[in-house]
Amino acid sequence: MAVSHKQQVDAEAMCPHRLVLEHLTSRWGVLVLIELLERSYRFSELRRAISGLGGRGVSEKMLTQTLQTLERDGLVHRDAKPVIPPRVDYSLTGLGREAAEQVRSLARWTHDRMGEVERARQAYDANRQAYDANRQT
Amino acid sequence: MAVSHKQQVDAEAMCPHRLVLEHLTSRWGVLVLIELLERSYRFSELRRAISGLGGRGVSEKMLTQTLQTLERDGLVHRDAKPVIPPRVDYSLTGLGREAAEQVRSLARWTHDRMGEVERARQAYDANRQAYDANRQT
DNA sequence: CAGTATCCGAGTGGATACTG
DNA sequence: CAGTATCCACTCGGATACTG
């Protein structure tokens, strides 16, 4: 039924570039972009690749939706070859590549800083527990 | 009731750094980080500042939740002054500043490229419409 | 293979009322 | 002021079944 793209968060009164930002930082958007930075992928291939990144896989539905959104925003190029069985290749556009690189570097940053984050969490949780403990006395 | 932080997406089998990434790219996380990059804010002040960025405001609930998550991850520092009426200042930690800068640059990128995105969308929608049209004949 | 269509449960996030 | 607690609408996203 042609998915009128009124699906996502609906813009409402939100400035449009916030929307795009949400698209590329979305749960699967991030992974798709990073994966496509490596090379182009076919649909199912991409699905498997993403599932391989830890976490459980994407549903077909969400991958489709994510890809369509990114394609509409001009970040991903969809190349459907008219053969049987169907073959569709996805790749980044120039615009998409720029975005993907930023996203990847942010992802790498979080990866590199995990140690510090973990420590911060332990400290936080410890305080938290101490606080909660002497509260119920 | 002490919000056991089992709330967000729950980690499940997802690699931990994906979680942190979701925190700082979350709807309000992005805005909080960018805003705090400017200076430190009090709770309500921050709430208003964010509402001023277009889009409708954050609820107290979501702002609280967002701030707690970011604090736990060691990105935001919370300074509660024991005065009446209460005064709490939020600011970025060193770690938080690094993250925020990346997030801001991604936000700026999307802002700068909006023109191209809009054009891509128009092209996409036009094709789409043409396609849908001669389908129902 | 590459989707589309439909249903549905869980969780997000907003509104409201209340507390220290 | 700075939250917490509760309720609830709505959306996201998964499972499933079907199509070209």
Side-chain angles (χ1 to χ4, degrees), chain A residues 1 42 44 60 64 78 90:
Chain A
M1 198 234 280
R42 298 179 58 181
S44 297
E60 294 182 1
T64 302
R78 179 176 185 276
Y90 290 94

Side-chain angles (χ1 to χ4, degrees), chain B residues 68-128:
Chain B
Q68 285 178 353
T69 303
L70 294 177
E71 187 195 356
R72 188 169 111 99
D73 287 347
L75 303 171
V76 162
H77 174 66
R78 178 176 185 277
D79 183 18
K81 296 172 162 80
V83 297
I84 301 283
R87 176 188 177 100
V88 182
D89 286 290
Y90 291 94
S91 54
L92 292 176
T93 62
L95 204 57
R97 182 162 295 273
E98 287 183 28
E101 264 153 13
Q102 303 228 34
V103 170
R104 182 173 59 180
S105 93
L106 189 57
R108 281 183 175 157
W109 182 87
T110 53
H111 178 263
D112 293 343
R113 300 303 189 186
M114 268 315 287
E116 294 179 56
V117 170
E118 299 276 31
R119 265 182 282 120
R121 283 183 183 173
Q122 284 170 17
Y124 180 92
D125 291 344
N127 273 354
R128 192 71 191 192

Side-chain angles (χ1 to χ4, degrees), chain A residues 27 55-56 121, chain B residues 4-16 18-20 22-23 72:
Chain A
R27 180 144 186 213
R56 62 166 66 62
R121 282 183 183 171
Chain B
S4 64
H5 283 286
K6 210 177 174 351
Q7 0 167 265
Q8 27 252 357
V9 185
D10 214 331
E12 300 271 350
M14 192 189 273
C15 20
R18 288 281 335 280
L19 258 281
V20 179
E22 307 250 312
H23 295 168
R72 188 169 111 99

Side-chain angles (χ1 to χ4, degrees), chain B residues 1-71:
Chain B
M1 196 233 278
V3 172
S4 64
H5 283 286
K6 210 177 174 351
Q7 0 167 265
Q8 27 252 357
V9 185
D10 214 331
E12 300 271 350
M14 192 189 273
C15 20
H17 77 272
R18 288 281 335 280
L19 258 281
V20 179
L21 187 56
E22 307 250 312
H23 295 168
L24 34 90
T25 60
S26 70
R27 181 148 187 210
W28 305 117
V30 174
L31 300 190
V32 166
L33 289 174
I34 292 178
E35 209 59 42
L36 287 181
L37 209 45
E38 218 57 50
R39 62 181 179 88
S40 77
Y41 279 90
R42 299 179 56 181
F43 186 84
S44 296
E45 204 183 12
L46 185 54
R47 191 154 124 76
R48 280 188 297 272
I50 285 175
S51 304
L53 284 179
R56 61 165 68 60
V58 217
S59 62
E60 293 183 2
K61 179 186 167 186
M62 290 319 299
L63 183 56
T64 301
Q65 209 173 84
T66 303
L67 285 169
Q68 285 178 353
T69 303
L70 294 177
E71 187 195 356

Side-chain angles (χ1 to χ4, degrees), chain A residues 3-19:
Chain A
V3 170
S4 63
H5 284 285
K6 208 173 174 0
Q7 359 168 268
Q8 28 251 354
V9 186
D10 216 330
E12 300 272 351
M14 191 190 274
C15 20
H17 77 273
R18 289 279 336 279
L19 258 280

Side-chain angles (χ1 to χ4, degrees), chain A residues 30-46:
Chain A
V30 175
L31 299 191
V32 165
L33 289 174
I34 291 179
E35 209 58 42
L36 287 181
L37 210 44
E38 219 56 50
R39 61 180 179 88
S40 76
Y41 278 89
R42 298 179 58 181
F43 186 84
S44 297
E45 205 183 12
L46 184 54

